[in-house]
Amino acid sequence: MSEQTITYQGPERVFSGVQPTGNLHLGNYLGAIKRFVDLQHEYNCLYCVVDLHAITVWQDPRELRSSTREVAAAFIAAGVDPERSIIFNQSAVSAHAELAWIFNCVARMGWLNRMTQFKDKAGKDKENASVGLFAYPNLMAADILAYKATHVPVGDDQKQHLELSRDIAQKFNNDFDAPGFFPLPEPLIAGPATRVMSLRDGSAKMSKSEKSDHSRINLSDDADAIAKKFKKAKSDPDLLPASVDGLRERPEAENLLGIFAALSDRAIEDVVEQFAGQQFSSLKNELTDLAISVLEPIRGEMDKLLADQDELDKVLASGAGRADEIAQPILSETKRIVGLI
Ligand code: TYM
């Protein structure tokens, strides 16, 4: 695809989304939500509970409603300010679905066929996967581009989807001779915890769908559960290394030290130096104390917020109104460019 000669000149904006599909975990917090908080000081930000993405696989309607509120509560409890940033749920702003349809007609089957997440999620029985699951990355592009967002903080697992969003933006701009109309959104994947791994297997991503609850720290875990899970976390027989180079081929050590660095806002080099030559058990003990000191207040605040459902729904509705005001003119202009009256 040829490079665009005219680039997007509009304002910078941050967009990101989290699916309301069960327990949020430490990977979601460190890879995404914690970073949402920091970015609010630099950018105008929209943070979305992506309920339309969630229903690409079966969701119990009652659980979907409560998970949607839980993710919104987690954003706020972690420090996203609903006055400064826009917090809302995806299905409340129709521009996402409308723009996704247009992008279904821009993206190519070949592009989507390459998406590893679809292959992972659909598993062996691809014929039985929903059409929505296949078209999922087009909806993601619509989420971002409905606001002409320029920066997208995500964990490492979303990189391929973000590249597809850029391809869609570029193809749209080229096909409709609208140079620079959509920005090519930049993924913001940075820090020591872009890919938090399972506590039971340093080669597998920490994920909501992993059967063993011991593989992850949930934001809903109490201090006891956090302590137990770190204690049982997989380790290796050697002492902790003296340099970052020594973490090669030691995924469990790398994971725990990375989590420590991210939770304490320190560089990985610094943390490796602190634990050089020590046993896993001393790292695990300190990590447990640190994780509890960061996560307990968030859990407490989430519980408080979830106790007042009406208030939380008001926050979501107000966010949706503000999001809609940004998206509608962009959608109208997109439709005009496409030739829709
Ligand atoms: P989701 O809901 O699976 O995850 C939410 C965010 O958490 C990050 N994440 C991780 N980061 C580090 N280590 C891990 N083990 C880990 N697991 C998850 C994800 O990378 C993500 O940033 N498709 C997206 C949601 C989405 C979206 C968007 C994101 C929909 N539209 C538009 C950005 C922009 C997803 O399923 O995330």
Side-chain angles (χ1 to χ4, degrees):
M1 208 176 291
S2 69
E3 263 308 307
Q4 287 192 123
T5 45
I6 299 181
T7 50
Y8 175 74
Q9 301 291 335
E12 295 191 319
R13 194 173 274 142
V14 162
F15 181 96
S16 197
V18 175
Q19 291 197 64
T21 44
N23 270 338
L24 288 170
H25 54 71
L26 192 59
N28 300 129
Y29 175 65
L30 294 177
I33 301 172
K34 182 175 191 298
R35 306 190 47 237
F36 297 175
V37 178
D38 302 331
L39 287 163
Q40 311 180 92
H41 307 293
E42 247 179 283
Y43 295 97
N44 289 320
C45 302
L46 295 113
Y47 296 125
C48 185
V49 187
V50 289
D51 48 8
L52 295 176
H53 276 100
I55 60 169
T56 57
V57 296
W58 169 252
Q59 303 297 330
D60 175 81
R62 270 187 43 198
E63 281 173 22
L64 179 61
R65 274 188 285 273
S66 67
S67 296
T68 298
R69 294 190 180 106
E70 257 168 50
V71 175
F75 287 172
I76 301 169
V80 176
D81 174 355
E83 303 281 324
R84 185 192 277 264
S85 300
I86 299 178
I87 296 177
F88 69 109
N89 62 310
Q90 188 182 26
S91 61
V93 179
S94 65
H96 293 249
E98 292 182 65
L99 191 57
W101 183 260
I102 294 176
F103 288 168
N104 283 343
C105 306
V106 172
R108 306 288 94 182
M109 291 289 286
W111 299 0
L112 292 172
N113 271 328
R114 286 196 287 275
M115 295 294 116
T116 52
Q117 190 159 307
F118 175 74
K119 288 181 199 158
D120 291 349
K121 285 202 175 171
K124 287 201 184 80
D125 197 3
K126 270 208 307 212
E127 294 294 309
N128 201 30
S130 74
V131 176
L133 190 65
F134 186 69
Y136 179 114
N138 297 344
L139 178 58
M140 229 178 115
D143 297 338
I144 299 164
L145 296 171
Y147 305 96
K148 295 192 174 180
T150 51
H151 295 81
V152 185
V154 281
D156 177 75
D157 61 341
Q158 296 301 313
K159 197 170 171 187
Q160 194 185 33
H161 287 159
L162 261 290
E163 279 160 13
L164 189 91
S165 297
R166 292 168 65 87
D167 289 344
I168 289 176
Q170 186 159 349
K171 183 163 164 56
F172 182 97
N173 293 352
N174 288 345
D175 286 358
F176 292 100
D177 197 18
F181 177 68
F182 283 124
L184 308 189
E186 289 279 341
L188 299 177
I189 303 172
T194 57
R195 192 172 180 82
V196 176
M197 308 308 273
S198 156
L199 299 183
R200 303 316 298 265
D201 174 2
S203 67
K205 197 182 64 169
M206 183 177 285
S207 108
K208 295 174 194 173
S209 52
E210 165 58 47
K211 273 203 203 83
S212 161
D213 195 55
H214 274 94
S215 68
R216 65 185 158 258
I217 305 284
N218 303 304
L219 292 193
S220 56
D221 284 344
D222 62 18
D224 256 12
I226 295 174
K228 275 201 192 101
K229 287 177 178 180
F230 278 127
K231 195 162 190 195
K232 285 196 168 173
K234 191 172 170 203
S235 56
D236 66 40
D238 295 332
L239 296 176
L240 293 164
S243 73
V244 174
D245 276 353
L247 290 175
R248 226 174 286 141
E249 314 284 324
R250 297 191 63 188
E252 284 80 22
E254 184 176 17
N255 191 36
L256 295 184
L257 288 162
I259 293 173
F260 195 102
L263 280 172
S264 57
D265 283 318
R266 287 164 58 193
I268 181 84
E269 289 79 8
D270 199 24
V271 173
V272 169
E273 201 176 304
Q274 177 184 339
F275 290 101
Q278 296 192 33
Q279 312 256 11
F280 261 93
S281 55
S282 51
L283 168 60
K284 285 179 172 183
N285 287 340
E286 291 208 32
L287 184 53
T288 300
D289 292 346
L290 173 63
I292 290 171
S293 74
V294 174
L295 299 180
E296 276 285 288
I298 297 178
R299 189 171 68 98
E301 194 54 34
M302 271 179 80
D303 286 348
K304 261 193 236 155
L305 289 160
L306 288 166
D308 192 347
Q309 197 174 294
D310 290 348
E311 187 53 37
L312 209 47
D313 288 357
K314 269 190 215 150
V315 170
L316 285 172
S318 143
R322 289 159 66 200
D324 195 57
E325 273 175 35
I326 304 172
Q328 274 310 323
I330 295 172
L331 180 65
S332 299
E333 184 60 6
T334 309
K335 286 179 166 173
R336 191 194 62 73
I337 290 171
V338 172
L340 304 170
I341 295 175

